[in-house]
C-alpha cells in the first residue's frame, strides 16, 4: 500500500527589509521636511506648508499597521485656501508656456527620482501590489510628459480658465489620475486645488505636491471631510472648474451645485462595465485576459465585474474562465520568503479597508441566500500572508451566477474582486443586460463575426467598447468619458483634457454630458 505524501508546509514569510512603513515615513521626512512633520503631513496653500488641521488616526489596509492620517481642515480654513489659490492663479496664468513647460518638466524629473518611494507609499496607504504601484507612478509621469511634448499644439489659441481648478478624487489612483490631471491643469495655465481622498493616499500626494511646489507649480493640497469641504471646493465663486472622480450619489450632488452656478465641470462617476460573450470561440484569448481584469482587486473605474454570456456558450465559457480565476495571486504586497527575494508579483492585495471587505462579503452572502449560484469562492489558504497578520481587509475572488435583482451586485459596481454572470438567449437580452446601469465608462463584446460586433456595439451604452479586448481609461491622446449616469460635464483624455480646463473661441461647445446638451467625440 502506498501512502499519500504529506504536502510541504507553506514557507514562513517576512516583511522585506527596508519596506516597513517607518522606513517609508523616515524617507519622506528626509526628502521633503517642509511637508512632513514627525507625526503628521501638512496642508499646502498660499505656496506654504501649514501645520493646521486635526490629524485623524489611520491604518494600512495591508495589515492594520498604524499610518499617518490626513490633517483635516474645517470649512473656514478651506475657504481661505481657495482665496489664496485665486491669487496664485492670477499670477500663474501670465507665466509663459515655455516657462510653465520647464517647471512641469522639472517636476516630472523629481517624481522620477523618487519613483520608488512614491510607489512604496501607495503600497502602504491603499494596498497596491508593488508592480501596480510602480505602474501608477509611471503612468502619471509618462502621461504628463506627453502633454509637455505636445503643449504647443494642444494649447494653441486657448487661454486659462478665470479661476483655479478644484479636484476631488477617489483614493484608488492618486498618481496616474489625480497628480496627472493636476500637472496638466497647471501646464494649461491654471492654479490647482486638490482635496486628499479620505480613504488613503495622503502621504503619496503630499510628497508629489512637495516636489511640484519646489518647482513653483501653484498647487493647493488640503484634507478634510467631503461634507465640510464640499461648499468651499465646489461652490466658491473663485473656482473656475470642478473635477470629480467618485460615486454617483456624491457626483449627483456636485452636478446639481455646478449646474446651478453654471460652472465648468468634469464629473467621472461609477457605472457597471460589462463584457458580453456572443457567438464566440476564441477561448484561449479570454483565459489570458481574465487575470488582468482582476488587477488591484477590480478597485478601478474601468474594471469589468459583469459578464453577459450566451447560454449555449456557458460550458465553454466556464472552461476558459475558471482556470484563470483560480490562478489569481493575492496576499501581503511586501511579504517575502528570504530577505534578498524580490517583492512578490500579485494580482491584488487587500481592499481599501476592512469595512469595505465586510460590506462586499455581506453582499455576496446575501446574494447567495437569495438564489445566486456561487461558481468560485477563493480561499485565504491560497494567499501569501505574514504569520499572525491582520487580514480583515482582504476579500478573495468570488464568482456568482445570476445575482438576484434585489441584490446590489445585480445593478451596481462592487469595486472589489467579485464577478457576476448573467445568461441570455437573445441579442435583445444581451443588450439589456449590458446596459443595466444606465451608462458605463467601458464595455467589451467578444464575438467572432465583425459584422455582429459592428451592429451591436453602437447599442451598448458605454463611452468606449472593445472588440474582444478590454478598454482602459486611456493615456496620452486617448479620449475618455462616460455614457448616461456614469459621466457629467466635459470629457477628458488627449486634447479634450486640455480643452476642458481652458477657454477656446467664443461659443465653443465642449464634448461631454451637460445639462443642456450631449456631444460625443469620435472614439
Amino acid at each position: 500500500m502506498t501512502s499519500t505524501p504529506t504536502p510541504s508546509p507553506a514557507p514562513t514569510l517576512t516583511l522585506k527589509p527596508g519596506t516597513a512603513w517607518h522606513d517609508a515615513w523616515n524617507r519622506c521626512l528626509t526628502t521633503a521636511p517642509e511637508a512632513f512633520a514627525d507625526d503628521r503631513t501638512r496642508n499646502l496653500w498660499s505656496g506654504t506648508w501649514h501645520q493646521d488641521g486635526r490629524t485623524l488616526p489611520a491604518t494600512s489596509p495591508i495589515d492594520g499597521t498604524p499610518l499617518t492620517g490626513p490633517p483635516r481642515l474645517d470649512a473656514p480654513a478651506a475657504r481661505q485656501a481657495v482665496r489664496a489659490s485665486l491669487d496664485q492663479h492670477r499670477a500663474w496664468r501670465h507665466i509663459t508656456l515655455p516657462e510653465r513647460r520647464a517647471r512641469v518638466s522639472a517636476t516630472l524629473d523629481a517624481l522620477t527620482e523618487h519613483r520608488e518611494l512614491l510607489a512604496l507609499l501607495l503600497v502602504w496607504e491603499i494596498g497596491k501590489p508593488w508592480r501596480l504601484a510602480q505602474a501608477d507612478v509611471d503612468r502619471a509621469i509618462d502621461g504628463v510628459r506627453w502633454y509637455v511634448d505636445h503643449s504647443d499644439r494642444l494649447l494653441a489659441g486657448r487661454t486659462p480658465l478665470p479661476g483655479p481648478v478644484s479636484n476631488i478624487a477617489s483614493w484608488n489612483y492618486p498618481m496616474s489620475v489625480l497628480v496627472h490631471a493636476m500637472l496638466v491643469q497647471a501646464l494649461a495655465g491654471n492654479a490647482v486645488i486638490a482635496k486628499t481622498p479620505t480613504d488613503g493616499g495622503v502621504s503619496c500626494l503630499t510628497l508629489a505636491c512637495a516636489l511640484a511646489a519646489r518647482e513653483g507649480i501653484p498647487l493647493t493640497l488640503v484634507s478634510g471631510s467631503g461634507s465640510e469641504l464640499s461648499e468651499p471646493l465646489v461652490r466658491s465663486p473663485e473656482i473656475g472648474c470642478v473635477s470629480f472622480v467618485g460615486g454617483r450619489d456624491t457626483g449627483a450632488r456636485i452636478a446639481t451645485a455646478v449646474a446651478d452656478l453654471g460652472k465648468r465641470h468634469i464629473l467621472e462617476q461609477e457605472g457597471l462595465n460589462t463584457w458580453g460573450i456572443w457567438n464566440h470561440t476564441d477561448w484561449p484569448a479570454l483565459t489570458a485576459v481574465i487575470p488582468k481584469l482582476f488587477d488591484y482587486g477590480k478597485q478601478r473605474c474601468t474594471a469589468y465585474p459583469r459578464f453577459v454570456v450566451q447560454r449555449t456558450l456557458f460550458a465553454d465559457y466556464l472552461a476558459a474562465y475558471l482556470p484563470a480565476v483560480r490562478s489569481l495571486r493575492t496576499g501581503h504586497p511586501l511579504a517575502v520568503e528570504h530577505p534578498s527575494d524580490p517583492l512578490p508579483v500579485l494580482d491584488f492585495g487587500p481592499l481599501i479597508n476592512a469595512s469595505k471587505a465586510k460590506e462586499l462579503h455581506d453582499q455576496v452572502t446575501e446574494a447567495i441566500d437569495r438564489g445566486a449560484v456561487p461558481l468560485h469562492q477563493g480561499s485565504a489558504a491560497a494567499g501569501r500572508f505574514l504569520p499572525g497578520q491582520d487580514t480583515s481587509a482582504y476579500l478573495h475572488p468570488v464568482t456568482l451566477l445570476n445575482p438576484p435583482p434585489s441584490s446590489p451586485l445585480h445593478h451596481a459596481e462592487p469595486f472589489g474582486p467579485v464577478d457576476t454572470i448573467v445568461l441570455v438567449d437573445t441579442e435583445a437580452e444581451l443588450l439589456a443586460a449590458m446596459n443595466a446601469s444606465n451608462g458605463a465608462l467601458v464595455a467589451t463584446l467578444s464575438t467572432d463575426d465583425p459584422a455582429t460586433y459592428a451592429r451591436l456595439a453602437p447599442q451598448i451604452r458605454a463611452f468606449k467598447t472593445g472588440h474582444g479586448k478590454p478598454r482602459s481609461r486611456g493615456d496620452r491622446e486617448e479620449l475618455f468619458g462616460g455614457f448616461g449616469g456614469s459621466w457629467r460635464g466635459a470629457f477628458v483624455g488627449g486634447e479634450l483634457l486640455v480643452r476642458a480646463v481652458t477657454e477656446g473661441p467664443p461659443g465653443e461647445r465642449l464634448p461631454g454630458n451637460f445639462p443642456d446638451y450631449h456631444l460625443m467625440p469620435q472614439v
Side-chain angles (χ1 to χ4, degrees), residues 139 172-173 268 271 273 293 298-305 413 415 441-443 464 470-474 480:
R139 286 183 67 183
N172 52 343
Y173 283 89
E268 176 187 328
N273 305 319
L293 302 183
K298 302 207 172 194
Q299 297 177 104
R300 51 198 176 96
C301 64
T302 55
Y304 287 82
E413 180 182 19
F415 232 61
L441 304 175
V442 296
K464 296 191 290 190
R471 298 301 302 266
S472 69
R473 196 177 196 279
F480 192 59

Side-chain angles (χ1 to χ4, degrees), residues 226-438:
S227 59
E228 191 159 15
L229 297 197
S230 178
E231 184 76 19
L233 296 185
V234 174
R235 288 186 170 271
S236 292
E238 295 91 344
I239 299 297
C241 176
V242 176
S243 178
F244 167 82
V245 180
R248 288 194 181 187
D249 291 344
T250 303
R253 291 192 292 271
I254 292 176
T256 300
V258 295
D260 291 345
L261 300 169
K263 198 182 293 291
R264 183 76 63 88
H265 56 285
I266 307 162
L267 309 181
E268 176 187 328
Q269 301 169 142
E270 64 189 10
L272 184 62
N273 305 319
T274 59
W275 191 302
I277 308 287
W278 189 262
N279 292 340
H280 174 74
T281 59
D282 189 1
W283 302 112
L286 182 67
T287 300
V289 80
I290 291 298
K292 298 181 178 66
L293 302 183
F294 276 88
D295 274 356
Y296 195 33
K298 302 207 172 194
Q299 297 177 104
R300 51 198 176 96
C301 64
T302 55
Y304 287 82
R306 167 66 52 78
F307 287 87
V308 182
V309 182
Q310 188 175 7
R311 191 181 307 272
T312 57
L313 299 180
F314 186 46
D316 292 332
Y317 169 84
L318 283 184
Y321 174 90
L322 289 176
V325 77
R326 289 168 180 154
S327 73
L328 294 173
R329 298 152 297 179
T330 64
H332 193 305
L334 303 173
V336 295
E337 185 176 353
H338 303 290
S340 60
D341 289 347
L343 290 172
V345 177
L346 303 175
D347 295 293
F348 60 93
L351 299 191
I352 187 58
N353 53 49
S355 296
K356 176 61 180 178
K358 182 182 185 304
E359 171 193 304
L360 199 47
H361 176 270
D362 290 346
Q363 288 180 2
V364 168
T365 301
E366 182 181 54
I368 294 172
D369 288 344
R370 295 181 179 181
V373 179
L375 300 176
H376 174 75
Q377 291 183 288
S379 167
R384 294 170 46 89
F385 297 107
L386 300 176
Q389 176 190 328
D390 180 351
T391 59
S392 58
Y394 290 78
L395 183 73
H396 301 280
V398 176
T399 307
L400 300 179
L401 175 65
N402 290 337
S406 59
S407 168
L409 298 175
H410 180 80
H411 53 78
E413 180 182 19
F415 232 61
V418 177
D419 276 349
T420 57
I421 300 171
V422 174
L423 302 183
V424 295
D425 297 297
T426 67
E427 290 184 357
E429 290 179 300
L430 174 81
L431 293 170
M434 293 189 71
N435 293 329
S437 67
N438 182 31

Side-chain angles (χ1 to χ4, degrees), residues 145 171 190 251:
R145 284 200 193 280
W171 44 265
N190 304 292

